[in-house]
């Protein structure tokens, strides 16, 4: 079935360092991927997206890389800050764009 | 302020007692959906609606009902809740079915069924 897997359930980084969160997906037919951030007690919040015709997209302090050959997605956060502490989900669209497939999430812990 | 609201935010109930979790959005979005979040499983879609009076099952619809009589509201109904429905529930909406449209999530409803 369709699934999204994450390489690490928890990632601890020092404030100011760069963070890389990795994700593997199984559905080669998906052409749209989204990263969400979920802070404690809140719903997921959109961070950045990427279409399959791209291999890199940059936002403010965040970069998403897509490797379709090995079905791998990564989120890079530059100069990680305490406010970046959250659970990060990579997701992809399925079912004719009616459904988001979520992975289990990676918890990012930023230490001073 | 553009937002998705859910009520209640927290609910403790007993097995078999019907309950409704309300969801409302003020962005005139056509697409709305419900997810449940369980530890280690991420979010799984329960039901979705592409417009008024149009609803369809997601991945885990058993034990749930929904209705979409108005564009802004999408209530989740548990006719006879059971302990395995103890979970964190999120409502979400977007302008239309996906394409590249961002989905906005509500703050969540934590449900405990005893």
């Amino acid at each position: 079935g369709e699934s999204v897997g994450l390489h690490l359930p928890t990632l601890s980084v020092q404030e100011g360092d760069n963070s890389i969160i990795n994700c593997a997906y199984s559905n080669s037919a998906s052409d749209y991927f989204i990263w969400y951030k979920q802070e404690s007690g809140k719903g997921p919040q959109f961070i950045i997206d990427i279409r399959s015709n791209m291999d890199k997209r940059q936002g403010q302090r965040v970069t998403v890389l897509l490797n379709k050959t090995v079905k791998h997605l990564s989120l890079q956060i530059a100069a990680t800050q305490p406010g970046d502490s959250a659970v990060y989900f990579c997701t992809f669209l399925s079912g004719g764009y009616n459904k988001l497939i979520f992975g289990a999430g990676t918890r990012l812990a930023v230490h001073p | 302020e553009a937002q998705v609201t859910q009520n209640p935010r927290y609910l403790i109930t007993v097995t078999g007692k019907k309950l409704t979790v309300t969801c409302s959005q003020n962005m005139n979005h056509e697409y709305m959906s419900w997810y449940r979040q369980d530890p280690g499983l991420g979010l799984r879609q329960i039901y979705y609606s592409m417009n008024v009076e149009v609803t369809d099952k997601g991945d885990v619809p058993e034990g749930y009902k929904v209705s979409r009589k108005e564009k802004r509201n999408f209530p989740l109904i548990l006719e006879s809740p059971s302990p395995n429905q103890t979970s964190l529930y999120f409502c979400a909406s977007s302008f239309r079915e996906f394409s590249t449209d961002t989905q906005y999530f509500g703050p969540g409803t934590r449900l405990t069924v005893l």
Side-chain angles (χ1 to χ4, degrees), chain A residues 44-76:
Chain A
Q45 180 183 10
F46 174 91
I47 302 174
I48 192 168
D49 58 359
I50 188 168
R51 296 204 73 109
S52 60
N53 60 354
M54 305 169 69
D55 51 24
K56 180 179 181 179
R57 191 169 186 206
Q58 288 184 293
Q60 187 176 18
R61 284 200 306 117
V62 294
T63 300
V64 55
L65 300 177
L66 175 62
N67 185 329
K68 295 178 289 295
T69 303
V70 295
K71 298 180 194 172
H72 184 269
L73 197 66
S74 69
L75 177 71
Q76 300 178 359

Side-chain angles (χ1 to χ4, degrees), chain B residues 17-110:
Chain B
K17 185 176 181 181
K18 180 180 178 180
L19 67 92
T20 299
V21 183
T22 64
C23 173
S24 183
Q25 50 91 6
N26 62 359
M27 295 169 279
N28 201 34
H29 284 170
E30 292 181 356
Y31 182 92
M32 298 184 75
S33 63
W34 276 102
Y35 294 85
R36 61 178 288 173
Q37 184 175 20
D38 301 291
L41 296 177
L43 277 75
R44 293 177 293 167
Q45 192 181 57
I46 303 171
Y47 268 95
Y48 65 92
S49 168
M50 293 201 290
N51 215 324
V52 175
E53 303 291 3
V54 181
T55 64
D56 209 345
K57 297 177 181 178
D59 285 326
V60 288
E62 293 77 20
Y64 304 95
K65 288 174 58 177
V66 292
S67 70
R68 188 90 182 274
K69 294 184 175 11
E70 305 166 283
K71 199 172 189 180
R72 63 182 292 128
N73 296 322
F74 190 44
L76 179 69
I77 303 154
L78 284 71
E79 294 272 3
S80 182
S82 62
N84 65 11
Q85 293 178 297
T86 293
S87 188
L88 180 58
Y89 291 86
F90 289 100
C91 178
S93 74
S94 59
F95 184 65
R96 59 188 186 283
E97 63 178 296
F98 274 116
S99 182
T100 57
D101 194 29
T102 301
Q103 201 163 185
Y104 295 86
F105 285 82
T109 295
R110 186 167 292 282

